[in-house]
Amino acid sequence: MKKYLTIACSAIAPFFWGQVGIGTSSVNPNIILQVESIPYSGSTSNGGILFPRIALTAANIFAPVTGTPVTGLMVYNTSTSGTGINAVTPGLYFWDNTKSLWYRMAQKDADDTALFSNQDINTDLNDGVNYADLFANIRFNNDTALYEKVNNTTLKINEVGYYKVILNLDLTNRDGTNDNFGIKILVNDTPNIVTDQFYIPGRGTENASVGKSVVYYIPINTAGSTLRFQAYEIDPGTEVYFKNSNTSTVSIQRLR
């Protein structure tokens, strides 16, 4: 059973059974509701669907939408509001009851990702002063407005959100006996915002290769925050260097 409906008709009829077409009488048999944009009488303009426009206050607050929260409910948020990982910006959002969160509809796997790699192999990373030059080479950056390279050791992140950072490190020691050290992440030059740290067990061999891959999830609570990486000493006198140029990488992806 197929029905051809105008907008006025759909507004007054409370229930329809079967397939529904708006702007068309030829509804695809696999579709429940099909909307086609065709010029109305006397016009040459094509139109679209306008979702309810709501000024959300935060991703974890259902209000000002009222009623019982339902997974899949969609609105267009008109406000820039909230802080940290619960900040919202204008765009389409859907509600997820399992997480009690609004999620913004956006492509994250390509548009919000970047990959960088090192260059310098002659600077001791474990002297408590130097930062790792992990942003020296830009492999790709799909959003240069979001990820802004400040210099070879510093990346500026220009939107609040929750970010996935993957480190792949190709390192070496040069003192022959000790190579226990860690890597810390500094957000706005503050290392205690992200407390995840790791060490690489000593090999006792000079110029030994030490590799490590690790994933961090980092909240960026202020737009324009800087991101840096630095070694921290576990064994006194340990010297840590990148073993080769362009073999240590950091990738970053905005999750929400």
Side-chain angles (χ1 to χ4, degrees), residues 139-194:
R139 297 280 192 89
F140 65 83
N141 184 355
N142 289 331
D143 193 336
T144 55
L146 176 59
Y147 305 118
E148 180 183 345
K149 176 182 171 180
V150 178
N151 52 48
N152 287 358
T153 65
T154 308
L155 183 72
K156 183 185 289 185
I157 302 176
N158 290 318
E159 291 184 17
V160 298
Y162 200 58
Y163 292 81
K164 179 180 180 181
V165 174
I166 302 176
L167 280 177
N168 290 294
L169 301 176
D170 176 28
L171 304 169
T172 186
N173 69 327
R174 293 188 184 175
D175 61 8
T177 57
N178 301 313
D179 61 357
N180 287 290
F181 58 93
I183 299 292
K184 57 186 176 183
I185 295 180
L186 298 93
V187 178
N188 290 331
D189 291 327
T190 303
N192 61 358
I193 291 180
V194 178

Side-chain angles (χ1 to χ4, degrees), residues 84-219:
I85 62 174
N86 290 314
V88 293
T89 55
L92 281 172
Y93 281 76
F94 70 91
W95 180 259
D96 185 347
N97 254 353
T98 63
K99 304 292 185 181
S100 294
L101 288 172
W102 289 106
Y103 284 95
R104 194 175 192 273
M105 297 184 64
Q107 183 178 349
K108 300 299 180 186
D109 57 345
D111 290 346
D112 292 345
T113 59
L115 178 67
F116 305 87
S117 64
N118 74 297
Q119 185 62 39
D120 184 7
I121 62 173
N122 296 311
T123 299
D124 181 9
L125 303 175
N126 202 29
D127 64 357
V129 177
N130 294 312
Y131 299 99
D133 76 331
L134 281 167
F135 303 109
N137 301 310
I138 302 175
R139 297 280 192 89
F140 65 83
N141 184 355
N142 289 331
D143 193 336
T144 55
L146 176 59
Y147 305 118
E148 180 183 345
K149 176 182 171 180
V150 178
N151 52 48
N152 287 358
T153 65
T154 308
L155 183 72
K156 183 185 289 185
I157 302 176
N158 290 318
E159 291 184 17
V160 298
Y162 200 58
Y163 292 81
K164 179 180 180 181
V165 174
I166 302 176
L167 280 177
N168 290 294
L169 301 176
D170 176 28
L171 304 169
T172 186
N173 69 327
R174 293 188 184 175
D175 61 8
T177 57
N178 301 313
D179 61 357
N180 287 290
F181 58 93
I183 299 292
K184 57 186 176 183
I185 295 180
L186 298 93
V187 178
N188 290 331
D189 291 327
T190 303
N192 61 358
I193 291 180
V194 178
T195 58
D196 288 345
Q197 298 175 339
F198 68 87
Y199 72 94
I200 299 176
R203 300 288 181 89
T205 303
E206 189 172 359
N207 292 324
S209 294
V210 284
K212 188 74 173 182
S213 295
V214 64
V215 179
Y216 294 95
Y217 294 92
I218 302 175

Side-chain angles (χ1 to χ4, degrees), residues 25-102:
S25 58
S26 300
V27 181
N28 187 299
N30 298 316
I31 294 176
I32 296 174
L33 172 64
Q34 181 173 336
V35 181
E36 297 288 345
S37 177
I38 58 174
Y40 58 86
S41 178
S43 172
T44 58
S45 299
N46 290 296
I49 296 175
L50 185 64
F51 283 87
R53 303 169 73 82
I54 299 289
L56 299 177
T57 58
N60 60 339
I61 299 176
F62 187 67
V65 179
T66 58
T68 302
V70 177
T71 294
L73 176 67
M74 291 182 61
V75 299
Y76 183 89
N77 171 50
T78 60
S79 70
T80 299
S81 187
T83 59
I85 62 174
N86 290 314
V88 293
T89 55
L92 281 172
Y93 281 76
F94 70 91
W95 180 259
D96 185 347
N97 254 353
T98 63
K99 304 292 185 181
S100 294
L101 288 172
W102 289 106

Side-chain angles (χ1 to χ4, degrees), residues 6-14:
T6 64
I7 297 298
C9 176
S10 63
I12 41 180

